[in-house]
Amino acid sequence: LLLLEVREDEKFQVHYNLLDVATGKFIEKGLTFEENWWIGASSLGNDTILFYTFPDQENPDVKNVFSYDFKLDKILWKKEGHNIMEVAGDKVWLMEPDKDDISCFDIRTGEPLSSNGNSGNPINGAGHAENKLLKKPFIYREGSEYFKTVSQFITASANLHIVRSVDYYEDDRVMVISFYYLNKNNKLANDLLVVDHEGNHLLRERLGNDLSGISDDTFFIYHNKLIFVKDNADFFIYQLN
């Protein structure tokens, strides 16, 4: 199954299409919700999709989460003020922004699950093996110590002063950084940079220019492949070797 998010900027309208790749037929087409602009999709399971919305558009760190069953065509549960940290099988791990605790919930019922036994937190390395193939960057907001550290590196490496937010991923071979800065029009631009641990530039791509705001999850890693969208239109996959 392939979930397609379609954003119509002129109408401030988002809808979703769910395609069965094997048959070429749509299971859902033109799916919308009460919140039809400040919304995003996080994960797609056997019969559920996890969505998140932004109740405070000035603060993307604050999100509401809900689970939707596309076979029953109904919302299963909602949770306000939670960020999705990880999804594995029939479990989802959520965290409230002002707390350090990560809680595990049943993805269909929304009921809390024990942090002991088989519910293991993938963030602590005890989750389902299939989800270890998917890796998302850490998001550091301007003003945090981690943002300051990455900012210093970008200044030295690319001679740029970054602002607002960075998405940061690192493994034993490369660092992948998506960052924002002000372009010559004094508007936001978003670049993606891949460097090795010696600081050599392996890839640099302009993801967007003259932007009105920042985005969450500007890239992710799956099966050791770097995946991102450029200019809201072009889909790229790079093998990380």
Side-chain angles (χ1 to χ4, degrees):
L1 300 180
L2 182 65
L3 182 66
L4 306 173
E5 179 183 276
V6 181
R7 290 189 172 267
E8 300 177 78
D9 293 345
E10 299 82 5
K11 299 179 181 179
F12 284 90
Q13 173 76 47
V14 177
H15 70 265
Y16 293 89
N17 303 324
L18 186 60
L19 177 69
D20 186 325
V21 178
T23 65
K25 295 181 179 180
F26 284 99
I27 298 172
E28 289 271 11
K29 200 168 184 180
L31 176 65
T32 61
F33 297 96
E34 181 178 356
E35 174 53 70
N36 55 16
W37 182 249
W38 297 100
I39 185 171
S42 175
S43 71
L44 170 63
N46 291 331
D47 51 9
T48 59
I49 308 172
L50 275 182
F51 291 97
Y52 56 89
T53 60
F54 300 91
D56 181 359
Q57 289 81 42
E58 298 299 320
N59 185 2
D61 288 334
V62 178
K63 300 182 182 71
N64 294 338
V65 179
F66 67 92
S67 178
Y68 171 77
D69 187 316
F70 56 81
K71 291 183 179 178
L72 299 177
D73 190 24
K74 64 181 290 188
I75 293 175
L76 301 175
W77 52 265
K78 299 179 181 179
K79 293 191 183 297
E80 296 183 354
H82 285 74
N83 290 338
I84 300 170
M85 302 304 295
E86 190 62 272
V87 179
D90 58 354
K91 302 178 181 65
V92 56
W93 285 261
L94 304 177
M95 182 175 71
E96 296 179 67
D98 56 347
K99 297 182 180 179
D100 293 330
D101 293 336
I102 298 173
S103 301
C104 180
F105 298 89
D106 186 293
I107 203 167
R108 285 202 57 82
T109 66
E111 293 297 320
L113 300 174
S114 170
S115 58
N116 301 318
N118 295 326
S119 67
N121 186 341
I123 298 170
N124 293 330
H128 293 253
E130 65 268 21
N131 226 54
K132 294 181 182 296
L133 298 173
L134 174 64
K135 301 173 183 177
K136 293 186 177 182
F138 289 101
I139 300 173
Y140 302 136
R141 302 301 184 197
E142 188 170 10
S144 69
E145 282 301 315
Y146 289 116
F147 179 92
K148 182 179 179 181
T149 300
V150 178
S151 176
Q152 291 171 344
F153 174 80
I154 295 297
T155 299
S157 179
N159 194 29
L160 285 173
H161 174 69
I162 67 173
V163 298
R164 301 290 293 273
S165 177
V166 296
D167 291 358
Y168 181 87
Y169 168 82
E170 180 178 354
D171 61 22
D172 57 356
R173 294 167 294 111
V174 298
M175 294 177 286
V176 185
I177 309 169
S178 169
F179 55 88
Y180 295 87
Y181 60 96
L182 297 179
N183 61 20
K184 61 182 180 181
N185 299 324
N186 204 36
K187 291 187 176 181
L188 286 173
N190 179 204
D191 281 13
L192 181 137
L193 178 66
V194 182
V195 299
D196 61 23
H197 283 271
E198 284 69 48
N200 300 309
H201 289 206
L202 306 178
L203 174 71
R204 183 167 173 180
E205 290 278 1
R206 176 69 53 83
L207 301 187
N209 204 21
D210 292 341
L211 303 172
S212 59
I214 64 175
S215 300
D216 276 346
D217 297 331
T218 52
F219 69 88
F220 62 93
I221 314 293
Y222 185 70
H223 272 287
N224 201 35
K225 293 177 176 64
L226 170 63
I227 302 174
F228 60 89
V229 174
K230 182 177 178 179
D231 296 324
N232 289 326
D234 299 318
F235 187 72
F236 287 85
I237 301 177
Y238 280 86
Q239 182 70 46
L240 291 177
N241 280 331

